Amino acid sequence: MKVDVLLGLQWGDEGKGKVVDVLTPRYDVVARFQGGPNAGHTLEFEGQKYVLRSIPSGIFQGDKVNIIGNGVVLAPDLFMDEAKELEKSGHELKSRLHISKKAHLIMPTHRILDAAYEAAKGKNKVGTTGKGIGPTYTDKTSRNGLRVGDILDNFEEKYAAHKARHEEMLRALNYTDYDITEIERHWMEGIEYMKQFPLVDSEHEVNNLLKEGKSMLCEGAQGTMLDVDFGSYPFVTSSNTICAGACIGLGIGPNKIGDVFGIIKAYCTRVGAGPFPTELFDETGDKIREIGHEYGAVTGRERRCGWIDLVALKYAIAVNGVTKLIMMKSDVLDGFETIKACVAYKQNGEYINYFPYDINSGIEPVYVEMPGWNQDLTKITSEAEFPEAFKDYIAFLEQELETPITIVSVGPDRAQTIER
Ligand code: GDP
Ligand code: IMO
Ligand code: MG
């Protein structure tokens, strides 16, 4: 059986959580393959709203197995808080949420290091979520990390050695004004709590499930433009958010990948620092933010808003091998007289239609402008009811991006989803 992968194609917060929840009934297993609690995936159904950080968004549909893969970085305290919250609302997790022993642990000192590195960057701050993501992946690749499997044996000693090394690094950075006593106590509680979950060799489990003919959906976190290799470096996260990340973060061969679903908003947002060619600094941007409730699910920060960027999207589709597009938050543009889409960049006076090495300065978006549909999409339940101007917008995007838009989302609720 093939594995389908679902990813954000912009700068995150495209609505991945909602779509994973909608698609889960079609799969046996849902798995996260990268990122950590820097993610905030929002789901709404039956009048309830949930924000997931580390737990895959397939957790609410029946008794599906959900896997946290080796490519994920996990903070035991935040994981415990998130899981307990779900258990309180009646969701059984301990038998069907499997955690890879190879996933790396985010230590309290990783979070302090995150803050210290940001402080040291001065005006070039990345604007991280402060969850310790960068330092944890750095320890992983420099072969200094602590993994989930480490908690099963002689953990205190290993933890103390890693902590001492971090403290030394913090002293070298002259960043010593912190107190993690309380966080550490909670974190250790999280370690004990995690032991109640199946801690697995997830690469074996995943491949065995596939051999048995089970189907699987991999849920991306962040977005392609935040990928550490292909995103707007250095203003990126520290993992590979693209489709290949699913192979690495779960131990799946590339020949097992089936559909690659690329999730886009009908416009574009970004949270944190870094270049954003189509960003709007005027009342149109403010209007999108207010209507779209564009405030970060993790940090509450204002999301920067702008028009859809087809240059960046073509690039994202290419590096991921996207086979199907899913367009979210179409309803947010309901009240706009006209809508713009960026079809090229002007860089140093020259028109370019590819995503260049450096978008950090000197990029001017070139737009086409289309009539808006000026109609409420939120109650629509089938494609036949789409206003003509909305159909035209979809057709334009499909033609430009050379990829079909197979699902359109017209509101945050699970039910506000239209398949084409
Ligand atoms: P993710 O990180 O990609 O899962 O996305 P987030 O959950 O961070 O952000 C998406 C936000 O948009 C959430 O608040 C969702 O509830 C909301 N949302 C998702 N789809 C739609 C939609 O079609 N219309 C509207 N208005 N909101 C949506
Ligand atoms: P989801 O999965 C939007 C951004 C941060 C910052 C940069 C690096 O909800 O789409 P990090 O803490 O990862 O070192 O921060 O990446 N960022 C996100 N932006 N959505 C996310 O996740 C993000 N995860 C990280 O704002 O600019
Ligand atoms: Mg989010």
Side-chain angles (χ1 to χ4, degrees), residues 139 159 174 178 262 274 289 309 376 386 404:
D139 271 354
Y159 175 80
N174 224 352
Y178 61 89
R289 183 177 310 108
D309 181 345
D376 178 9
F386 285 173

Side-chain angles (χ1 to χ4, degrees), residues 252-274:
I252 297 169
N255 58 337
K256 299 285 195 316
I257 304 295
D259 266 321
V260 181
F261 299 113
I263 316 293
I264 58 174
K265 276 179 185 167
Y267 48 95
C268 195
T269 63
R270 170 162 208 174
V271 60

Side-chain angles (χ1 to χ4, degrees), residues 201-218:
D201 294 309
S202 59
E203 66 277 29
H204 292 309
E205 182 176 357
V206 160
N207 283 293
N208 288 338
L209 285 165
L210 293 176
K211 243 188 220 164
E212 287 167 24
K214 299 276 194 283
S215 58
M216 187 163 147
L217 180 64
C218 302

Side-chain angles (χ1 to χ4, degrees), residues 312-331:
L313 279 180
K314 283 178 193 172
Y315 172 77
I317 288 169
V319 298
N320 284 301
V322 170
T323 59
K324 289 174 180 161
L325 288 168
I326 298 178
M327 184 162 79
M328 312 300 291
K329 304 195 87 160
S330 319
D331 54 297

